[in-house]
Amino acid sequence: AAEQMSGKDSYDVLVVGDTVLDIACANAAGARSVAVATGPQDIDTLQAAGADVVVRDLSDTAAFLQLLV
């Protein structure tokens, strides 16, 4: 779906979310995922769900932006 909308390879899409459902959606679309552990699930749960990257929060903006390149 992401590939059809943007005309790009789905791996060029980055999904940022805070639930296992967000990670599942990213995986289903073939997109990369960044899970932020500020929502209902903790870091271990988000990692187990298959997130590419898990961060505690987005307070380190520079580190987060490095994930985009």
Side-chain angles (χ1 to χ4, degrees):
E3 187 173 350
Q4 292 172 346
M5 292 188 320
S6 69
K8 297 207 177 237
D9 183 30
S10 60
Y11 195 74
D12 290 336
V13 175
L14 180 69
V15 175
V16 179
D18 62 0
T19 69
V20 295
L21 182 58
D22 297 327
I23 304 311
C25 289
N27 291 342
R32 295 179 295 156
S33 58
V34 175
V36 184
T38 55
Q41 275 98 37
D42 61 20
I43 289 174
D44 293 334
T45 302
L46 295 168
Q47 287 174 330
D52 293 307
V53 177
V54 179
V55 296
R56 198 168 301 286
D57 57 41
L58 296 178
S59 61
D60 187 350
T61 307
F64 178 73
L65 291 176
Q66 285 298 312
L67 299 172
L68 302 178
V69 288

Short mmCIF file of all heavy atoms in Angstrom, two decimals:
data_model
loop_
_atom_site.label_atom_id
_atom_site.label_comp_id
_atom_site.label_asym_id
_atom_site.label_seq_id
_atom_site.Cartn_x
_atom_site.Cartn_y
_atom_site.Cartn_z
N ALA A 1 0.82 -1.19 0.00
CA ALA A 1 0.00 0.00 0.00
C ALA A 1 0.86 1.26 0.00
O ALA A 1 0.59 2.18 -0.75
CB ALA A 1 -0.93 -0.01 1.21
N ALA A 2 1.88 1.29 0.85
CA ALA A 2 2.75 2.47 0.90
C ALA A 2 3.47 2.66 -0.42
O ALA A 2 3.64 3.78 -0.88
CB ALA A 2 3.75 2.32 2.04
N GLU A 3 3.86 1.56 -1.06
CA GLU A 3 4.56 1.65 -2.33
C GLU A 3 3.66 2.23 -3.41
O GLU A 3 4.09 3.05 -4.22
CB GLU A 3 5.05 0.27 -2.74
CG GLU A 3 5.93 0.27 -3.96
CD GLU A 3 6.52 -1.10 -4.22
OE1 GLU A 3 6.41 -1.98 -3.37
OE2 GLU A 3 7.10 -1.25 -5.30
N GLN A 4 2.41 1.86 -3.43
CA GLN A 4 1.48 2.37 -4.43
C GLN A 4 1.22 3.85 -4.25
O GLN A 4 1.11 4.58 -5.23
CB GLN A 4 0.16 1.61 -4.34
CG GLN A 4 0.28 0.17 -4.76
CD GLN A 4 -0.99 -0.61 -4.49
OE1 GLN A 4 -1.87 -0.15 -3.75
NE2 GLN A 4 -1.10 -1.79 -5.06
N MET A 5 1.13 4.32 -3.02
CA MET A 5 0.80 5.72 -2.78
C MET A 5 1.96 6.65 -3.11
O MET A 5 1.78 7.72 -3.62
CB MET A 5 0.38 5.92 -1.33
CG MET A 5 -0.93 5.26 -1.01
SD MET A 5 -1.61 5.63 0.62
CE MET A 5 -0.23 5.62 1.70
N SER A 6 3.17 6.24 -2.82
CA SER A 6 4.29 7.15 -2.97
C SER A 6 5.11 6.92 -4.23
O SER A 6 5.91 7.75 -4.61
CB SER A 6 5.21 7.06 -1.75
OG SER A 6 5.85 5.80 -1.75
N GLY A 7 4.95 5.75 -4.84
CA GLY A 7 5.77 5.44 -6.00
C GLY A 7 7.20 5.07 -5.61
O GLY A 7 8.06 4.92 -6.45
N LYS A 8 7.48 4.94 -4.34
CA LYS A 8 8.81 4.58 -3.86
C LYS A 8 8.79 3.16 -3.34
O LYS A 8 7.74 2.59 -3.07
CB LYS A 8 9.24 5.52 -2.74
CG LYS A 8 9.35 6.96 -3.17
CD LYS A 8 10.34 7.65 -2.28
CE LYS A 8 10.51 9.06 -2.76
NZ LYS A 8 11.85 9.38 -3.07
N ASP A 9 9.99 2.62 -3.19
CA ASP A 9 10.11 1.31 -2.56
C ASP A 9 9.59 1.42 -1.13
O ASP A 9 9.88 2.40 -0.43
CB ASP A 9 11.58 0.90 -2.57
CG ASP A 9 11.80 -0.48 -2.00
OD1 ASP A 9 10.89 -1.33 -2.12
OD2 ASP A 9 12.87 -0.72 -1.45
N SER A 10 8.84 0.44 -0.68
CA SER A 10 8.23 0.53 0.65
C SER A 10 9.28 0.64 1.75
O SER A 10 9.01 1.18 2.82
CB SER A 10 7.30 -0.65 0.90
OG SER A 10 8.02 -1.87 0.82
N TYR A 11 10.51 0.15 1.51
CA TYR A 11 11.54 0.26 2.54
C TYR A 11 11.98 1.71 2.74
O TYR A 11 12.59 2.05 3.74
CB TYR A 11 12.73 -0.63 2.23
CG TYR A 11 13.64 -0.81 3.42
CD1 TYR A 11 13.26 -1.64 4.48
CD2 TYR A 11 14.85 -0.15 3.50
CE1 TYR A 11 14.06 -1.80 5.59
CE2 TYR A 11 15.67 -0.30 4.62
CZ TYR A 11 15.27 -1.13 5.65
OH TYR A 11 16.07 -1.27 6.75
N ASP A 12 11.65 2.59 1.80
CA ASP A 12 11.94 4.02 1.95
C ASP A 12 10.96 4.68 2.91
O ASP A 12 11.14 5.83 3.29
CB ASP A 12 11.87 4.74 0.60
CG ASP A 12 13.02 4.36 -0.30
OD1 ASP A 12 14.08 3.94 0.20
OD2 ASP A 12 12.86 4.48 -1.53
N VAL A 13 9.93 3.96 3.30
CA VAL A 13 8.93 4.49 4.22
C VAL A 13 9.35 4.14 5.65
O VAL A 13 9.75 3.02 5.93
CB VAL A 13 7.54 3.87 3.93
CG1 VAL A 13 6.51 4.32 4.95
CG2 VAL A 13 7.10 4.22 2.51
N LEU A 14 9.25 5.11 6.54
CA LEU A 14 9.58 4.91 7.95
C LEU A 14 8.32 5.15 8.77
O LEU A 14 7.75 6.24 8.74
CB LEU A 14 10.68 5.89 8.38
CG LEU A 14 11.13 5.80 9.83
CD1 LEU A 14 11.87 4.49 10.08
CD2 LEU A 14 12.03 6.98 10.16
N VAL A 15 7.90 4.14 9.49
CA VAL A 15 6.73 4.25 10.36
C VAL A 15 7.21 4.46 11.78
O VAL A 15 8.03 3.70 12.29
CB VAL A 15 5.86 2.97 10.28
CG1 VAL A 15 4.70 3.04 11.26
CG2 VAL A 15 5.36 2.76 8.86
N VAL A 16 6.73 5.51 12.41
CA VAL A 16 7.05 5.80 13.81
C VAL A 16 5.77 5.58 14.61
O VAL A 16 4.73 6.15 14.29
CB VAL A 16 7.56 7.25 13.99
CG1 VAL A 16 7.86 7.53 15.45
CG2 VAL A 16 8.77 7.50 13.11
N GLY A 17 5.86 4.75 15.64
CA GLY A 17 4.68 4.47 16.42
C GLY A 17 5.03 4.03 17.83
O GLY A 17 6.20 3.85 18.16
N ASP A 18 4.00 3.83 18.64
CA ASP A 18 4.24 3.45 20.03
C ASP A 18 3.46 2.21 20.46
O ASP A 18 3.32 1.93 21.64
CB ASP A 18 3.96 4.61 20.97
CG ASP A 18 2.52 5.09 20.94
OD1 ASP A 18 1.70 4.52 20.19
OD2 ASP A 18 2.20 6.04 21.68
N THR A 19 2.95 1.46 19.47
CA THR A 19 2.21 0.24 19.81
C THR A 19 2.68 -0.91 18.92
O THR A 19 3.26 -0.70 17.85
CB THR A 19 0.69 0.40 19.61
OG1 THR A 19 0.42 0.51 18.21
CG2 THR A 19 0.14 1.59 20.37
N VAL A 20 2.37 -2.13 19.35
CA VAL A 20 2.70 -3.29 18.53
C VAL A 20 1.91 -3.29 17.22
O VAL A 20 2.39 -3.81 16.21
CB VAL A 20 2.51 -4.61 19.31
CG1 VAL A 20 3.48 -4.70 20.48
CG2 VAL A 20 1.09 -4.77 19.80
N LEU A 21 0.75 -2.68 17.21
CA LEU A 21 -0.03 -2.57 15.98
C LEU A 21 0.69 -1.70 14.96
O LEU A 21 0.72 -2.01 13.77
CB LEU A 21 -1.43 -2.01 16.27
CG LEU A 21 -2.36 -1.90 15.07
CD1 LEU A 21 -2.55 -3.25 14.39
CD2 LEU A 21 -3.70 -1.33 15.49
N ASP A 22 1.32 -0.61 15.42
CA ASP A 22 2.10 0.24 14.52
C ASP A 22 3.24 -0.55 13.88
O ASP A 22 3.50 -0.43 12.68
CB ASP A 22 2.68 1.44 15.27
CG ASP A 22 1.61 2.35 15.84
OD1 ASP A 22 0.54 2.49 15.24
OD2 ASP A 22 1.86 2.92 16.93
N ILE A 23 3.90 -1.38 14.67
CA ILE A 23 5.01 -2.19 14.17
C ILE A 23 4.49 -3.24 13.19
O ILE A 23 5.09 -3.46 12.14
CB ILE A 23 5.76 -2.87 15.34
CG1 ILE A 23 6.25 -1.84 16.36
CG2 ILE A 23 6.90 -3.72 14.83
CD1 ILE A 23 6.97 -0.65 15.79
N ALA A 24 3.37 -3.85 13.51
CA ALA A 24 2.78 -4.84 12.62
C ALA A 24 2.40 -4.22 11.27
O ALA A 24 2.61 -4.84 10.22
CB ALA A 24 1.56 -5.48 13.27
N CYS A 25 1.87 -3.02 11.30
CA CYS A 25 1.50 -2.33 10.05
C CYS A 25 2.75 -2.04 9.22
O CYS A 25 2.74 -2.23 8.00
CB CYS A 25 0.76 -1.03 10.36
SG CYS A 25 -0.90 -1.30 11.00
N ALA A 26 3.80 -1.57 9.87
CA ALA A 26 5.05 -1.30 9.15
C ALA A 26 5.59 -2.59 8.53
O ALA A 26 5.97 -2.61 7.35
CB ALA A 26 6.08 -0.70 10.10
N ASN A 27 5.61 -3.66 9.30
CA ASN A 27 6.12 -4.93 8.79
C ASN A 27 5.28 -5.44 7.64
O ASN A 27 5.82 -5.94 6.64
CB ASN A 27 6.17 -5.97 9.92
CG ASN A 27 7.23 -5.66 10.95
OD1 ASN A 27 8.15 -4.89 10.71
ND2 ASN A 27 7.10 -6.24 12.13
N ALA A 28 3.97 -5.31 7.73
CA ALA A 28 3.08 -5.76 6.65
C ALA A 28 3.31 -5.00 5.36
O ALA A 28 3.18 -5.55 4.27
CB ALA A 28 1.63 -5.64 7.10
N ALA A 29 3.69 -3.72 5.48
CA ALA A 29 3.92 -2.89 4.30
C ALA A 29 5.36 -3.00 3.81
O ALA A 29 5.70 -2.43 2.78
CB ALA A 29 3.60 -1.43 4.63
N GLY A 30 6.22 -3.70 4.55
CA GLY A 30 7.62 -3.79 4.17
C GLY A 30 8.39 -2.53 4.51
O GLY A 30 9.47 -2.30 3.97
N ALA A 31 7.84 -1.72 5.39
CA ALA A 31 8.47 -0.45 5.78
C ALA A 31 9.37 -0.66 6.99
O ALA A 31 9.23 -1.64 7.73
CB ALA A 31 7.40 0.59 6.11
N ARG A 32 10.28 0.27 7.20
CA ARG A 32 11.08 0.27 8.42
C ARG A 32 10.23 0.82 9.55
O ARG A 32 9.31 1.60 9.33
CB ARG A 32 12.32 1.15 8.24
CG ARG A 32 13.27 0.60 7.19
CD ARG A 32 14.46 1.48 7.01
NE ARG A 32 14.03 2.78 6.47
CZ ARG A 32 14.71 3.91 6.61
NH1 ARG A 32 15.85 3.93 7.26
NH2 ARG A 32 14.26 5.03 6.09
N SER A 33 10.57 0.42 10.78
CA SER A 33 9.78 0.89 11.91
C SER A 33 10.66 1.39 13.04
O SER A 33 11.71 0.81 13.34
CB SER A 33 8.89 -0.24 12.44
OG SER A 33 9.67 -1.36 12.83
N VAL A 34 10.22 2.49 13.63
CA VAL A 34 10.83 3.02 14.84
C VAL A 34 9.74 3.04 15.90
O VAL A 34 8.71 3.68 15.72
CB VAL A 34 11.39 4.45 14.64
CG1 VAL A 34 11.91 5.01 15.96
CG2 VAL A 34 12.47 4.46 13.57
N ALA A 35 9.97 2.31 16.96
CA ALA A 35 9.00 2.27 18.05
C ALA A 35 9.48 3.21 19.16
O ALA A 35 10.65 3.23 19.51
CB ALA A 35 8.87 0.86 18.60
N VAL A 36 8.55 3.98 19.68
CA VAL A 36 8.84 4.92 20.76
C VAL A 36 8.10 4.43 22.00
O VAL A 36 6.88 4.31 21.99
CB VAL A 36 8.37 6.35 20.38
CG1 VAL A 36 8.78 7.33 21.46
CG2 VAL A 36 8.95 6.76 19.03
N ALA A 37 8.86 4.16 23.05
CA ALA A 37 8.29 3.53 24.25
C ALA A 37 7.65 4.55 25.19
O ALA A 37 7.86 4.53 26.39
CB ALA A 37 9.35 2.73 24.97
N THR A 38 6.86 5.44 24.63
CA THR A 38 6.13 6.41 25.45
C THR A 38 4.64 6.09 25.51
O THR A 38 3.89 6.79 26.15
CB THR A 38 6.31 7.84 24.91
OG1 THR A 38 5.92 7.87 23.54
CG2 THR A 38 7.74 8.30 25.05
N GLY A 39 4.26 5.03 24.81
CA GLY A 39 2.86 4.65 24.76
C GLY A 39 2.56 3.49 25.68
O GLY A 39 3.23 3.29 26.70
N PRO A 40 1.58 2.69 25.30
CA PRO A 40 1.10 1.62 26.18
C PRO A 40 2.05 0.43 26.32
O PRO A 40 1.92 -0.34 27.26
CB PRO A 40 -0.22 1.19 25.54
CG PRO A 40 -0.10 1.60 24.11
CD PRO A 40 0.77 2.82 24.10
N GLN A 41 2.99 0.25 25.38
CA GLN A 41 3.89 -0.90 25.46
C GLN A 41 5.30 -0.46 25.87
O GLN A 41 5.74 0.63 25.53
CB GLN A 41 3.97 -1.63 24.12
CG GLN A 41 2.85 -2.64 23.95
CD GLN A 41 1.70 -2.10 23.14
OE1 GLN A 41 1.88 -1.35 22.20
NE2 GLN A 41 0.50 -2.47 23.51
N ASP A 42 6.00 -1.38 26.56
CA ASP A 42 7.37 -1.07 26.99
C ASP A 42 8.38 -1.47 25.92
O ASP A 42 8.03 -2.05 24.89
CB ASP A 42 7.68 -1.73 28.33
CG ASP A 42 7.60 -3.26 28.28
OD1 ASP A 42 7.67 -3.85 27.19
OD2 ASP A 42 7.48 -3.85 29.37
N ILE A 43 9.64 -1.16 26.17
CA ILE A 43 10.71 -1.41 25.20
C ILE A 43 10.78 -2.89 24.82
O ILE A 43 10.88 -3.23 23.63
CB ILE A 43 12.06 -0.90 25.74
CG1 ILE A 43 12.07 0.62 25.74
CG2 ILE A 43 13.22 -1.45 24.93
CD1 ILE A 43 13.29 1.25 26.39
N ASP A 44 10.75 -3.77 25.80
CA ASP A 44 10.86 -5.21 25.51
C ASP A 44 9.73 -5.70 24.62
O ASP A 44 9.96 -6.48 23.69
CB ASP A 44 10.88 -6.01 26.82
CG ASP A 44 12.13 -5.77 27.64
OD1 ASP A 44 13.18 -5.41 27.05
OD2 ASP A 44 12.07 -5.93 28.87
N THR A 45 8.53 -5.24 24.87
CA THR A 45 7.38 -5.64 24.06
C THR A 45 7.52 -5.14 22.63
O THR A 45 7.24 -5.88 21.67
CB THR A 45 6.08 -5.10 24.69
OG1 THR A 45 5.97 -5.61 26.02
CG2 THR A 45 4.85 -5.51 23.89
N LEU A 46 7.97 -3.90 22.46
CA LEU A 46 8.14 -3.33 21.12
C LEU A 46 9.26 -4.04 20.36
O LEU A 46 9.14 -4.29 19.15
CB LEU A 46 8.41 -1.83 21.22
CG LEU A 46 7.24 -1.01 21.78
CD1 LEU A 46 7.69 0.40 22.12
CD2 LEU A 46 6.06 -1.01 20.82
N GLN A 47 10.34 -4.39 21.04
CA GLN A 47 11.41 -5.16 20.39
C GLN A 47 10.91 -6.53 19.97
O GLN A 47 11.20 -6.98 18.86
CB GLN A 47 12.61 -5.29 21.33
CG GLN A 47 13.38 -4.00 21.48
CD GLN A 47 14.48 -4.08 22.53
OE1 GLN A 47 14.39 -4.82 23.50
NE2 GLN A 47 15.51 -3.28 22.33
N ALA A 48 10.17 -7.18 20.85
CA ALA A 48 9.64 -8.51 20.53
C ALA A 48 8.67 -8.46 19.37
O ALA A 48 8.52 -9.45 18.64
CB ALA A 48 8.96 -9.11 21.76
N ALA A 49 8.01 -7.33 19.16
CA ALA A 49 7.06 -7.17 18.05
C ALA A 49 7.78 -7.04 16.71
O ALA A 49 7.14 -7.09 15.67
CB ALA A 49 6.17 -5.96 18.30
N GLY A 50 9.10 -6.84 16.75
CA GLY A 50 9.87 -6.78 15.51
C GLY A 50 10.21 -5.40 15.02
O GLY A 50 10.53 -5.23 13.84
N ALA A 51 10.18 -4.40 15.90
CA ALA A 51 10.56 -3.04 15.49
C ALA A 51 12.02 -3.03 15.05
O ALA A 51 12.86 -3.71 15.64
CB ALA A 51 10.37 -2.07 16.65
N ASP A 52 12.31 -2.27 14.01
CA ASP A 52 13.70 -2.15 13.55
C ASP A 52 14.55 -1.42 14.58
O ASP A 52 15.70 -1.76 14.81
CB ASP A 52 13.77 -1.42 12.20
CG ASP A 52 13.14 -2.24 11.10
OD1 ASP A 52 13.53 -3.42 10.94
OD2 ASP A 52 12.25 -1.72 10.41
N VAL A 53 13.96 -0.39 15.17
CA VAL A 53 14.64 0.41 16.19
C VAL A 53 13.62 0.73 17.27
O VAL A 53 12.46 1.02 16.97
CB VAL A 53 15.18 1.74 15.60
CG1 VAL A 53 15.80 2.61 16.67
CG2 VAL A 53 16.17 1.48 14.48
N VAL A 54 14.06 0.69 18.53
CA VAL A 54 13.20 1.10 19.64
C VAL A 54 13.94 2.17 20.43
O VAL A 54 15.10 1.99 20.79
CB VAL A 54 12.85 -0.08 20.58
CG1 VAL A 54 11.97 0.38 21.73
CG2 VAL A 54 12.17 -1.20 19.81
N VAL A 55 13.26 3.29 20.66
CA VAL A 55 13.83 4.36 21.47
C VAL A 55 12.92 4.62 22.66
O VAL A 55 11.72 4.37 22.61
CB VAL A 55 14.04 5.67 20.65
CG1 VAL A 55 15.06 5.46 19.54
CG2 VAL A 55 12.74 6.17 20.07
N ARG A 56 13.54 5.09 23.74
CA ARG A 56 12.77 5.35 24.95
C ARG A 56 11.79 6.51 24.74
O ARG A 56 10.64 6.47 25.15
CB ARG A 56 13.72 5.67 26.10
CG ARG A 56 13.10 5.55 27.47
CD ARG A 56 14.12 5.58 28.59
NE ARG A 56 15.15 4.55 28.57
CZ ARG A 56 14.97 3.26 28.86
NH1 ARG A 56 13.76 2.83 29.18
NH2 ARG A 56 15.96 2.40 28.84
N ASP A 57 12.25 7.57 24.08
CA ASP A 57 11.42 8.73 23.76
C ASP A 57 12.08 9.50 22.63
O ASP A 57 13.10 9.06 22.10
CB ASP A 57 11.19 9.62 25.00
CG ASP A 57 12.48 10.11 25.62
OD1 ASP A 57 13.42 10.49 24.88
OD2 ASP A 57 12.55 10.14 26.86
N LEU A 58 11.53 10.61 22.24
CA LEU A 58 12.09 11.40 21.14
C LEU A 58 12.83 12.64 21.64
O LEU A 58 13.02 13.60 20.91
CB LEU A 58 10.98 11.81 20.17
CG LEU A 58 10.31 10.65 19.44
CD1 LEU A 58 9.19 11.17 18.54
CD2 LEU A 58 11.31 9.85 18.64
N SER A 59 13.30 12.60 22.88
CA SER A 59 13.98 13.77 23.44
C SER A 59 15.33 14.04 22.78
O SER A 59 15.77 15.18 22.73
CB SER A 59 14.14 13.63 24.95
OG SER A 59 14.93 12.50 25.25
N ASP A 60 15.98 13.00 22.25
CA ASP A 60 17.25 13.18 21.55
C ASP A 60 16.95 13.31 20.06
O ASP A 60 17.04 12.35 19.31
CB ASP A 60 18.19 12.02 21.83
CG ASP A 60 19.58 12.24 21.28
OD1 ASP A 60 19.79 13.22 20.51
OD2 ASP A 60 20.47 11.44 21.61
N THR A 61 16.59 14.50 19.64
CA THR A 61 16.18 14.74 18.27
C THR A 61 17.27 14.39 17.27
O THR A 61 17.01 13.80 16.22
CB THR A 61 15.75 16.20 18.09
OG1 THR A 61 14.78 16.52 19.08
CG2 THR A 61 15.16 16.45 16.72
N ALA A 62 18.51 14.72 17.57
CA ALA A 62 19.62 14.45 16.66
C ALA A 62 19.76 12.94 16.41
O ALA A 62 19.94 12.52 15.26
CB ALA A 62 20.92 15.02 17.20
N ALA A 63 19.66 12.15 17.44
CA ALA A 63 19.76 10.70 17.29
C ALA A 63 18.60 10.17 16.45
O ALA A 63 18.77 9.30 15.59
CB ALA A 63 19.80 10.01 18.64
N PHE A 64 17.40 10.70 16.68
CA PHE A 64 16.25 10.27 15.90
C PHE A 64 16.43 10.62 14.42
O PHE A 64 16.16 9.80 13.54
CB PHE A 64 14.96 10.90 16.45
CG PHE A 64 13.76 10.52 15.63
CD1 PHE A 64 13.23 9.25 15.70
CD2 PHE A 64 13.17 11.43 14.77
CE1 PHE A 64 12.14 8.88 14.93
CE2 PHE A 64 12.07 11.09 14.01
CZ PHE A 64 11.55 9.80 14.09
N LEU A 65 16.90 11.81 14.13
CA LEU A 65 17.09 12.22 12.74
C LEU A 65 18.13 11.36 12.03
O LEU A 65 18.03 11.14 10.83
CB LEU A 65 17.46 13.70 12.67
CG LEU A 65 16.33 14.66 13.07
CD1 LEU A 65 16.84 16.10 13.07
CD2 LEU A 65 15.12 14.51 12.16
N GLN A 66 19.11 10.84 12.77
CA GLN A 66 20.11 9.94 12.18
C GLN A 66 19.47 8.65 11.67
O GLN A 66 19.99 8.01 10.77
CB GLN A 66 21.21 9.63 13.19
CG GLN A 66 22.17 10.77 13.40
CD GLN A 66 22.91 11.12 12.11
OE1 GLN A 66 23.42 10.24 11.42
NE2 GLN A 66 22.95 12.39 11.79
N LEU A 67 18.35 8.26 12.24
CA LEU A 67 17.65 7.07 11.79
C LEU A 67 17.07 7.26 10.40
O LEU A 67 16.78 6.27 9.71
CB LEU A 67 16.53 6.71 12.77
CG LEU A 67 16.93 6.41 14.20
CD1 LEU A 67 15.69 6.27 15.06
CD2 LEU A 67 17.78 5.15 14.26
N LEU A 68 16.88 8.48 9.99
CA LEU A 68 16.26 8.77 8.70
C LEU A 68 17.22 8.66 7.54
O LEU A 68 16.79 8.62 6.40
CB LEU A 68 15.62 10.15 8.74
CG LEU A 68 14.56 10.38 9.83
CD1 LEU A 68 14.06 11.80 9.77
CD2 LEU A 68 13.42 9.39 9.69
N VAL A 69 18.50 8.64 7.82
CA VAL A 69 19.48 8.57 6.73
C VAL A 69 20.09 7.22 6.58
O VAL A 69 19.96 6.36 7.36
CB VAL A 69 20.60 9.61 6.88
CG1 VAL A 69 20.08 10.99 6.59
CG2 VAL A 69 21.25 9.53 8.23
#
